[in-house]
Amino acid sequence: MTVLTVPMAETGPAGVTRRTRVLRRLRRNPLAVVSFVVLALAGVIAVLSPWLAPYSVDQTDFARTFAPPGTAGHVLGTDDLGRDVLSRIMLGARASLQVGLLAVATSLVIGVPLGLAAGYFRAWDAVISRCTDLLLAFPFLIMAVGLAAIRGASLGNAAVAIGIAQIPGVIRVVRSDTLRLKSLDFVAAAVVDGASDLWVLAKHILPNATSVILVQATVAIPAAILGEAVLSFLGLGIQPPAPSLGTMLATAQQFAARAPWAAVLPGVVIMGLALAFNVFGDALRDALDPKGDRR
């Protein structure tokens, strides 16, 4: 049996692969470069934070509580227990990124197969789409808070709760792209040539839907980071004394007038991470757009 395939690394008129064109477009976008640098730096700090942090996250100094930023030995100051804010932000950002990546991985592992099935099999579409519509009726954060409250407060449970709450969105996006790809000529040619449904999904639909899935992941990660901050702020996420940007905000709110930096700095980090992911996701979507080749 001869099966028509469409390689993802197709070449253009000048023999340039698609991957090369995408990278070239990203390099030409200043916002994409800046956001990528921010995310790369945040990733390195998150991985190496246990060794880069100047102090232990639980090390207290009651003689230097609420030390302002710029204090000798404490670049970003201290909190109400004299703990170093910089060290706690570094470890808190690590936890936020862990939750974000785990949540998105959970949503993709479950949502992508269901989205492919809903878009390709008409009989399955009715059931999967109706269940998806039912879940989408609940706001993302409300669903995440409810699931976290049921499962209990911890990093792993927060990641699972947020990931489950993101599954309906992944299903909707993958289903839409599967319907588009299913109607194209190369898929019809593979079906006529005798390819099985599983072969068509694995060798034709999924590889060509990778771009949409990657963009969806970059958009879902900042939502997961914000969701983790909300859960930790409400006491349903990472539990003290483990550092979390959300728990830092919850603790600092009662001292906001006396030590505003303890609340502002974690919030700035959350905003910076979410903004960098969103900007890079938009740039990646534009770079992967095949219409860009004709501009």
Side-chain angles (χ1 to χ4, degrees):
M1 180 181 67
T2 303
V3 178
L4 177 65
T5 60
V6 179
M8 289 301 296
E10 73 269 14
T11 57
V16 180
T17 64
R18 183 188 181 191
R19 180 180 301 177
T20 302
R21 295 197 300 272
V22 171
L23 293 176
R24 184 180 299 169
R25 293 177 194 167
L26 289 175
R27 288 197 299 266
R28 290 176 178 175
N29 188 335
L31 291 177
V33 174
V34 172
S35 61
F36 177 79
V37 171
V38 171
L39 294 176
L41 183 61
V44 171
I45 293 176
V47 172
L48 301 178
S49 57
W51 299 276
L52 294 177
Y55 297 92
S56 170
V57 293
D58 298 327
Q59 182 176 341
T60 59
D61 184 358
F62 294 105
R64 306 184 72 178
T65 58
F66 297 120
T71 301
H74 299 283
V75 177
L76 297 183
T78 61
D79 61 7
D80 57 309
L81 298 178
R83 297 173 297 189
D84 185 62
V85 173
L86 175 60
S87 300
R88 294 185 62 80
I89 284 179
M90 293 172 68
L91 272 297
R94 174 189 174 94
S96 295
L97 289 174
Q98 284 179 328
V99 171
L101 294 176
L102 289 174
V104 171
T106 300
S107 65
L108 293 181
V109 167
I110 300 175
V112 170
L114 291 177
L116 291 172
Y120 193 80
F121 301 104
R122 180 173 299 180
W124 291 20
D125 185 24
V127 176
I128 296 176
S129 295
R130 298 296 77 76
C131 293
T132 301
D133 293 338
L134 178 63
L135 293 176
L136 286 174
F138 297 92
F140 165 73
L141 286 177
I142 298 299
M143 184 182 299
V145 169
L147 292 172
I150 294 172
R151 293 183 55 86
S154 70
L155 186 149
N157 288 342
V160 171
I162 295 171
I164 293 175
Q166 289 183 329
I167 289 175
V170 174
I171 293 176
R172 179 67 63 85
V173 171
V174 176
R175 173 186 176 274
S176 176
D177 203 51
T178 300
L179 289 172
R180 179 186 66 84
L181 293 170
K182 182 182 176 181
S183 64
L184 298 182
D185 292 339
F186 71 91
V187 174
V191 174
V192 171
D193 203 36
S196 65
D197 293 333
L198 184 60
W199 178 272
V200 172
L201 286 172
K203 298 297 182 179
H204 297 284
I205 302 294
L206 181 58
N208 287 280
T210 303
S211 301
V212 173
I213 295 172
L214 288 176
V215 173
Q216 178 66 18
T218 59
V219 174
I221 290 176
I225 291 175
L226 293 174
E228 182 277 326
V230 172
L231 292 180
S232 296
F233 185 86
L234 297 175
L236 297 173
I238 301 171
Q239 295 299 292
S244 166
L245 298 177
T247 55
M248 291 180 68
L249 288 173
T251 303
Q253 65 172 338
Q254 55 186 321
F255 308 110
R258 182 176 179 183
W261 60 86
V264 171
L265 294 176
V268 170
V269 174
I270 295 174
M271 181 183 67
L273 288 174
L275 181 61
F277 272 112
N278 280 318
V279 171
F280 186 75
D282 289 341
L284 183 61
R285 180 193 59 201
D286 295 339
L288 291 170
D289 187 359
K291 296 181 181 178
D293 296 333
R294 299 191 290 268
R295 292 173 185 171

